[in-house]
Amino acid sequence: MAMTGVLRPGHVQIRVLDLEESVHFYGDVMGLVETGRDSDGRVYFKCWDERDHHSLVLRESDQAGIDFFGFKVLDNTSLEQLEVRLKEHGVDTTRMPAGDLLETGERVRFDLPSGHVMELYAEKTAVGNGLPSMNPSPWNQASENGIAPVRLDHMLLYGPNIAENKKIFEDILDFFLVERVLSEGGDAEVALWLSCSHKVHDIAFVEHPEPGKLHHISFLMDSWEKVLRAGDIMSMNQVAVDIGPTRHGITRGCTIYAWDPSGNRFETFMGGYHPYPDYETITWTWDSFPQGLDYPQRKLHETFLTVVT
Ligand SMILES: [Fe+2]
């Protein structure tokens, strides 16, 4: 696949209640690599195998949740073209200045109909993964510290008007719909899994009355064994676990959901399949949603539908 335009989720800024407790959690328990702190007090992390400066930004606040998320685009020409297309479709954009996020170029920011703040950007300093680009070993010590996910993989966001979000992602940003869940009556889409790549999802939305909510940030693990090891580390550190280890029917991802110390849900996951844009969208009916969520247990976990930040 020749990837152009929007490449991948590049960063997410979340609010945490106690910064140093959260720095300990994401650094020592999750095993992310701290890469910087800025004059606003924000702390920056990356997963060990990510090349760019950061993928997770923590901001201390009295309320948990998500401030914004950003997708990296191929280059500045792509950024300008996508900004024009957004404006042509009636989406207001603003430019965030280079350096507002550490080591990051200008970002094109806009509001989604679901109440989330999204950004596109082309430039972020490549700091590498600690391995040489010539004759690298497959892993290093950073891949063994804590849970140590490979990368930020996707987010699931809750909010209203996801049908309008879908238009922006499909018609402007060139994502495709990989899977969906229909309402009880079958006449509306209540959950959407969208991809801009070969991944089973780069972002997902669930219809929900409150705008701008975070359901989870997902981190990719190398293997099912690494997901189980993540579960061991969660238990060793008294991390509050929501669901799993189990497998989703939807996306076929193998997963554990848990909460960070502020109550922001995160996922450690692996697996899924590799869709192409010409694949037919997979549809789940409402009565099969319990299997879609937890395939072995066929259980519609109450927390999945109700607990968001
Ligand atoms: Fe997920």
Side-chain angles (χ1 to χ4, degrees):
M1 183 185 293
M3 286 187 65
T4 59
V6 182
L7 298 181
R8 62 175 178 270
H11 56 242
V12 55
Q13 178 169 308
I14 61 170
R15 299 185 296 271
V16 297
L17 304 180
D18 182 318
L19 189 65
E20 287 312 315
E21 179 187 34
S22 301
V23 166
H24 162 67
F25 175 77
Y26 283 101
D28 301 328
V29 180
M30 286 300 291
L32 306 189
V33 181
E34 184 179 330
T35 56
R37 298 191 182 209
D38 69 18
S39 57
D40 295 328
R42 296 180 295 187
V43 184
Y44 295 65
F45 289 94
K46 68 185 279 292
C47 300
W48 78 269
D49 202 22
E50 290 173 322
R51 272 67 168 174
D52 286 352
H53 180 263
H54 61 266
S55 56
L56 179 70
V57 183
L58 305 182
R59 179 175 76 85
E60 192 168 54
S61 171
D62 57 7
Q63 189 177 12
I66 183 170
D67 281 335
F68 58 84
F69 64 94
F71 272 71
K72 193 172 194 187
V73 305
L74 182 64
D75 52 25
N76 276 312
T77 302
S78 302
L79 188 64
E80 286 163 19
Q81 289 171 345
L82 288 162
E83 186 178 26
V84 168
R85 285 174 69 176
L86 284 161
K87 287 178 175 166
E88 284 174 352
H89 282 76
V91 179
D92 290 332
T93 63
T94 55
R95 284 248 177 180
M96 301 299 291
D100 173 71
L101 278 178
L102 289 183
E103 305 293 331
T104 307
E106 276 192 304
R107 293 127 60 203
V108 173
R109 176 177 278 195
F110 52 97
D111 294 327
L112 292 173
S114 56
H116 299 93
V117 177
M118 180 171 175
E119 304 173 339
L120 303 174
Y121 68 96
E123 295 178 346
K124 188 179 288 180
T125 303
V127 298
N129 60 0
L131 299 170
S133 56
M134 187 176 290
N135 308 327
S137 54
W139 52 271
N140 60 17
Q141 189 56 46
S143 70
E144 300 298 294
N145 294 335
I147 291 173
V150 175
R151 67 167 188 241
L152 169 69
D153 190 86
H154 63 269
M155 289 144 280
L156 172 55
L157 305 176
Y158 272 40
N161 310 313
I162 65 168
E164 296 300 312
N165 278 17
K166 183 180 153 190
K167 288 181 192 165
I168 291 173
F169 280 86
E170 285 190 324
D171 300 346
I172 307 174
L173 304 177
D174 292 333
F175 284 56
F176 61 101
L177 184 63
V178 181
E179 302 205 16
R180 62 181 185 157
V181 176
L182 298 180
S183 61
E184 202 161 3
D187 55 346
E189 293 170 334
V190 295
L192 306 168
W193 284 258
L194 293 146
S195 180
C196 62
S197 66
H198 208 11
K199 290 157 56 185
V200 75
H201 52 336
D202 288 290
I203 194 161
F205 294 102
V206 168
E207 186 75 24
H208 182 74
E210 294 171 283
K213 292 296 180 181
L214 172 66
H215 187 275
H216 69 267
I217 298 166
S218 185
F219 295 101
L220 181 69
M221 308 303 299
D222 269 333
S223 66
W224 178 230
E225 188 180 12
K226 287 277 178 74
V227 175
L228 296 177
R229 178 178 175 275
D232 292 341
I233 293 172
M234 290 174 200
S235 194
M236 289 172 193
N237 290 278
Q238 288 79 49
V239 174
V241 173
D242 182 14
I243 300 173
T246 189
R247 182 214 272 277
H248 295 304
I250 298 165
T251 75
R252 302 183 195 159
C254 301
T255 182
I256 302 173
Y257 288 125
W259 287 285
D260 80 0
S262 306
N264 295 305
R265 189 190 282 99
F266 67 93
E267 175 180 37
T268 52
F269 106 107
M270 60 75 63
Y273 54 96
H274 304 287
Y276 284 90
D278 64 332
Y279 277 24
E280 183 180 349
T281 299
I282 302 290
T283 297
W284 293 82
T285 54
W286 184 255
D287 60 332
S288 289
F289 188 34
Q291 271 185 315
L293 175 58
D294 186 335
Y295 201 79
Q297 293 195 77
R298 302 177 298 280
K299 186 176 173 187
L300 193 57
H301 299 263
E302 178 70 16
T303 51
F304 186 90
L305 296 176
T306 56
V307 178
V308 290
T309 53

